[in-house]
Amino acid sequence: MEKFIIHGGARVGGVLNVHGAKNSALPILAATMLADTPAVIHNCPDLTDIDYAIKILEHLGCAVKREGSDVTIDPRDFNCCEIPEELMRCMRSSIVFLGGILAKANKATLSAPGGCKIGLRPIDLHLAALKKLGMECNDCGEVLECICPNGLHGTRINLSFPSVGATENIMLAAVTACGDTVIENAAREPEICDLADFLNSMGAKVYGAGDKRIVIEGVKALHGAEHTVIPDRIAASTYMAAAAITGGELTLKNVFPMHLTSVISAFEEMGCKLSVKTEELCIKAPERLRRLKAIHTMPYPGFPTDSQALFMAMASVADGTSMFVENIFENRYRHVEQLRRMGADIKVDGKMALVNGVPKLFGAAVDAEDLRGGAALIIVGLSAEGITEIGEIEHIDRGYEAIEKTLSILGAKIKRREFNESGAVR
Ligand code: EPZ
C-alpha cells in the first residue's frame, strides 16, 4: 500500500509544463478504433486511467505502442465487441467505448462503468441517445447486450443535461452513422472540442463543438491521423492551488489559459496575481489568501466541479468565510471529513458548504476518497503544520502524472512511501 508523506510549510514555485488532459485523451483513444489505419496521439499523459484505456483497446484487438507521451494505435485487427467487467469497472470512461464499438461492429457487450464514487453517475442519457441512433439493448441486468439491427442512423438528440460522457458517446457513434445527427444541449467542455478536432482530422464531419448544438454529418469511413492532446486544465489548476496556498510563484507552460477563465477569476478573488499569455500562465500568491464569496459548480464555461475540492482546500485557510454550491455531482464533498481531520471548519448542508477559513491546518493521517478530493488533501498538506500522511493514493494516480515528483521539483516536501499491512514503511 502506497501513501504520500508531506512535510508542510515549503513554498511551491518555479516553472512547470502541464501534462496532457486525461479527460481528452480517454475519448480520443476510444475514437482511434474507428479508423481503418493507425493513429498517433501525442501529449498523452502517463496515468493509470490511460493504462486502462490502452488495455481496453488491446482487448478489442487493436495494437498499441507507447513511447513516452506518444501512443500509436493500429485498429486494423479490431475483432471483439465485448469489454469484460474487470476492465469496465476500472474507470468511468470505459463507457465511451460503447459508441465506438457500435459504430465499428453494430453490437457491443459490456457492464456498468466504474470511476470515482462522486455521485450516482447513471448512464441513462448515454443509452437513451444511442437508442435514438438505432441501438437496442437489455439495460436492466448487470451486463448490457447491445445491437443495432439496422445499423446506426443520424437523428436529433436533445440532452436533458449537457453530459460530457454522453456527448462524447453520441459523437463516436454518429460520425459514421447513416445521415446527420444533431445534438442539442451538448456539453461544451474543451475536451469535447479536442475530440471533435481529432475526429475531423480522421475525416469526420463534426460542426459546432464548443456550442450547445453539435451537427455531425455521417461519413462512410475514417482514417488514422496524428493529434496532440490539449493541456490538462484541472492539473493546471491543481498546481496553481499548490503555489497559491504556500505563498509561491509559479509559471505554467503548455497551458491554455482560455480554458481556465472561471478558475483564474476565482484565484484573483482570493488575492492571487495572475499574468496570462497565449500558452503560459503565471500565478503569484498573496501573504494570506482571501475568502471566495461563492463558487457554484456548473457545466463549462462555468466553474468546473473538478476544481471545487481544490478551492475548498484553499478556502480552509483563507481569511473569511467562503461558500460552495456543488451542482454537478451529488456526492462530491467526500474530502470535507478528511479536511476536518486536519482542523478545517466546514459545514455542509446538501449541495452547499460553508468554509470558515482558519489561520492554520495541521498534518494528520487522511485518505484520498476520490481523485480531485485526494489532490485537495495534498494541497492542504503542503501548507499544514507538521506531517500529513495520505492513504488510498491510487485515486490520485488516476489523474496526475507522478504528482509527488512534480511537486518536489517545485520545492514541496512530499514523498511516496510503500507501507506493509501492519503500517510499517517497506
Ligand atoms: C466527465 O465525467 C469527467 N470525466 C469528470 O471528471 C467531470 O467531473 C465531469 O465530466 C463533469 O465535468 C471524464 O471526462 C472521464 P457527466 P462524466 O456525464 O462524463 C449526470 C475527474 O475528476 N448524468 O457530464 O461522467 C451525472 O450523474 C472526473 O477528472 C446522468 O444523470 O460527467 C452527473 O450528475 C470526475 N445521466 C452529471 O450528469 C447520464 O447518463 C454530469 O455528468 C450521464 C450523466
Side-chain angles (χ1 to χ4, degrees):
M1 172 200 352
E2 290 184 331
K3 294 187 178 188
F4 286 138
I5 310 295
I6 306 171
H7 288 74
R11 270 182 213 269
V12 170
V15 180
L16 172 69
N17 265 311
V18 178
H19 61 67
K22 162 181 87 78
N23 292 344
S24 253
L26 291 169
I28 285 172
L29 287 173
T32 60
M33 71 179 154
L34 294 172
D36 49 23
T37 51
V40 184
I41 309 303
H42 303 290
N43 203 30
C44 195
D46 185 6
L47 305 169
T48 48
D49 271 13
I50 299 295
D51 297 339
Y52 297 135
I54 290 176
K55 280 193 184 140
I56 292 176
L57 285 168
E58 287 173 336
H59 178 84
L60 298 174
C62 304
V64 184
K65 198 170 85 195
R66 193 165 174 174
E67 285 170 324
S69 62
D70 296 339
V71 182
T72 305
I73 304 96
D74 184 344
R76 282 174 292 191
D77 288 332
F78 176 95
N79 58 11
C80 169
C81 352
E82 177 245 323
I83 305 179
E85 196 198 340
E86 62 273 18
L87 284 177
M88 282 303 294
R89 244 191 287 117
C90 291
M91 59 170 181
R92 170 77 178 175
S93 268
S94 50
I95 193 64
V96 297
F97 282 82
L98 176 57
I101 298 176
L102 290 175
K104 194 93 180 174
N106 275 329
K107 58 180 183 174
T109 304
L110 34 79
S111 49
C116 287
K117 305 269 181 285
I118 51 181
L120 295 172
R121 308 191 85 183
I123 53 168
D124 54 328
L125 299 176
H126 300 242
L127 298 182
L130 294 171
K131 282 178 183 169
K132 276 206 90 180
L133 283 157
M135 178 188 82
E136 292 179 3
C137 81
N138 66 326
D139 47 0
C140 45
E142 289 284 290
V143 175
L144 279 175
E145 303 268 4
C146 310
I147 52 163
C148 309
N150 303 307
L152 290 163
H153 290 267
T155 185
R156 175 174 293 268
I157 295 163
N158 199 339
L159 289 172
S160 55
F161 183 89
S163 156
V164 175
T167 303
E168 291 164 349
N169 238 334
I170 299 166
M171 289 164 74
L172 293 172
V175 277
T176 53
C178 180
D180 298 352
T181 299
V182 179
I183 314 175
E184 303 282 5
N185 200 24
R188 301 170 62 197
E189 271 68 4
E191 294 75 20
I192 298 289
C193 301
D194 205 21
L195 175 62
D197 287 346
F198 176 56
L199 288 167
N200 287 340
S201 68
M202 295 166 80
K205 293 189 171 166
V206 180
Y207 307 101
D211 289 334
K212 283 184 175 174
R213 173 187 291 162
I214 298 177
V215 178
I216 301 161
E217 278 175 29
V219 296
K220 285 218 162 22
L222 296 175
H223 51 80
E226 276 196 50
H227 182 79
T228 301
V229 173
I230 57 170
D232 194 312
R233 61 195 168 102
I234 308 301
S237 65
T238 305
Y239 293 113
M240 290 165 79
I245 204 168
T246 59
E249 185 170 348
L250 178 68
T251 300
L252 296 179
K253 295 191 184 272
N254 186 36
V255 64
F256 291 166
M258 68 206 180
H259 293 166
L260 286 157
T261 310
S262 59
V263 163
I264 287 173
S265 303
F267 275 114
E268 285 174 337
E269 190 185 340
M270 296 188 96
C272 298
K273 295 264 179 293
L274 277 288
S275 79
V276 171
K277 295 188 190 151
T278 319
E279 289 189 20
E280 189 179 303
L281 199 160
C282 185
I283 180 165
K284 187 172 187 304
E287 267 312 302
R288 186 174 180 197
L289 292 168
R290 292 198 299 259
R291 69 153 193 158
L292 285 157
K293 203 164 154 231
I295 289 282
H296 295 257
T297 65
M298 301 292 271
Y300 190 85
F303 188 90
T305 173
D306 293 346
S307 294
Q308 174 256 109
L310 306 168
F311 277 81
M312 192 174 283
M314 290 185 283
S316 300
V317 289
D319 188 9
T321 299
S322 306
M323 187 175 89
F324 290 80
V325 183
E326 171 55 55
N327 291 309
I328 308 296
F329 290 105
E330 308 85 355
N331 195 16
R332 220 171 186 183
Y333 284 142
R334 298 178 81 199
H335 46 279
V336 167
E337 194 46 49
Q338 309 295 316
L339 293 175
R340 283 188 189 132
R341 283 197 208 173
M342 300 176 76
D345 178 359
I346 305 174
K347 288 183 188 60
V348 175
D349 183 6
K351 287 175 159 195
M352 199 179 79
L354 275 184
V355 184
N356 194 12
V358 296
K360 203 172 247 318
L361 293 184
F362 298 90
V366 288
D367 285 319
E369 298 200 29
D370 60 58
L371 165 55
R372 307 304 172 186
L377 299 180
I378 294 184
I379 299 304
V380 165
L382 294 173
S383 75
E385 189 171 307
I387 300 173
T388 299
E389 189 180 298
I390 305 179
E392 297 183 35
I393 61 173
E394 61 281 6
H395 292 295
I396 301 172
D397 289 334
R398 294 183 41 213
Y400 298 93
E401 268 186 7
I403 192 168
E404 78 283 11
K405 289 189 186 142
T406 306
L407 286 168
S408 297
I409 291 166
L410 297 175
K413 294 200 165 55
I414 172 170
K415 288 211 159 24
R416 183 185 293 258
R417 285 275 179 265
E418 171 96 32
F419 287 76
N420 64 21
E421 294 300 299
S422 53
V425 183
R426 271 198 180 143

